[in-house]
Amino acid sequence: GENVEQHPSTLSVQEGDSAVIKCTYSDSASNYFPWYKQELGKRPQLIIDIRSNVGEKKDQRIAVTLNKTAKHFSLHITETQPEDSAVYFCAASRKWDNDMRFGAGTRLTVKP
Amino acid sequence: DGGITQSPKYLFRKEGQNVTLSCEQNLNHDAMYWYRQDPGQGLRLIYYSQIVNDFQKGDIAEGYSVSREKKESFPLTVTSAQKNPTAFYLCASLGQVDGGYTFGSGTRLTVV
């Protein structure tokens, strides 16, 4: 089955700096890669996703890149703000195969 | 709660007891999932269901049971066979349109 690894486990940046979180996956058939943000005590919420036919997707200050050959994808947050502080999870699945696997999470702290 | 409701928010279980966690969605989603979240381990799949009256085991199904008698409902029972049930439990659903999971707000189960 799919195995998703996520790094780093914790990340601390200064407000205004960029943050990058990286994930690798093992199943070459995976074609859907979402990212979730989970604030303390709350549910995970989808913030951006990318499909295998796209190499990069951007939404305001967040972007995701995908390298299918190397089987890794990354989340980029620019101009970080204190409200970006949360745990971020990557995931991978064969779309509609109902077998999504999550990374272990990255706790991002943005210092004001 | 964004269309998917989990209850209760907090649950305390005595040793040897079975307890049932509720998950209800009004999103008309076909697929529903149960994940367990432990610190530093991300989200691990317990059970999932793609259609009414059908469900499959995830990675950590031992000590858990589910049912899917209605499309809207996917309750999870934590049985006395689950040796370490203290965790945060998240229910999610997925519809047949673009987009990732919709998560419930979670149930925190503690064994006392």
Side-chain angles (χ1 to χ4, degrees), chain A residues 7-59:
Chain A
H7 301 280
S9 57
T10 60
L11 179 60
S12 181
V13 300
Q14 208 65 39
E15 182 177 359
D17 288 350
S18 294
V20 180
I21 302 170
K22 299 181 179 181
C23 289
T24 61
Y25 61 98
S26 60
D27 187 353
S28 56
S30 290
N31 57 17
Y32 177 64
F33 308 92
W35 286 89
Y36 290 85
K37 175 183 179 181
Q38 186 178 28
E39 297 179 37
L40 189 63
K42 297 187 178 179
R43 74 188 77 188
Q45 294 199 313
L46 179 70
I47 55 172
I48 195 167
D49 57 13
I50 192 168
R51 288 159 178 80
S52 59
N53 58 344
V54 176
E56 184 175 356
K57 183 176 179 181
K58 190 173 181 180
D59 183 4

Side-chain angles (χ1 to χ4, degrees), chain B:
Chain B
D1 273 346
I4 184 165
T5 303
Q6 285 185 245
S7 62
K9 189 171 183 179
Y10 299 97
L11 186 58
F12 297 90
R13 192 195 91 169
K14 294 182 180 179
E15 294 280 354
Q17 264 187 342
N18 291 355
V19 290
T20 298
L21 283 58
S22 170
C23 179
E24 303 276 334
Q25 54 100 358
N26 60 5
L27 301 167
N28 200 33
H29 285 175
D30 291 309
M32 297 186 74
Y33 309 80
W34 275 105
Y35 285 89
R36 170 178 171 144
Q37 186 173 26
D38 295 282
Q41 295 194 48
L43 302 171
R44 292 184 291 167
L45 183 65
I46 305 172
Y47 267 99
Y48 65 99
S49 168
Q50 297 174 272
I51 196 170
V52 174
N53 292 323
D54 186 52
F55 47 83
Q56 287 79 41
K57 292 182 179 180
D59 298 326
I60 55 166
E62 184 175 355
Y64 299 98
S65 65
V66 293
S67 62
R68 188 85 187 276
E69 297 177 1
K70 299 186 301 182
K71 188 175 185 178
E72 301 80 16
S73 179
F74 190 41
L76 173 74
T77 297
V78 184
T79 75
S80 57
Q82 170 50 237
K83 300 304 179 189
N84 184 23
T86 295
F88 188 56
Y89 291 86
L90 283 163
C91 179
S93 67
L94 177 69
Q96 293 295 317
V97 293
D98 287 349
Y101 287 177
T102 299
F103 280 94
S105 54
T107 293
R108 188 166 297 280
L109 173 63
T110 304
V111 173
V112 296

Side-chain angles (χ1 to χ4, degrees), chain A residues 80-92:
Chain A
T80 54
Q81 301 167 3
E83 49 266 39
D84 293 330
S85 296
V87 177
Y88 292 81
F89 293 98
C90 63

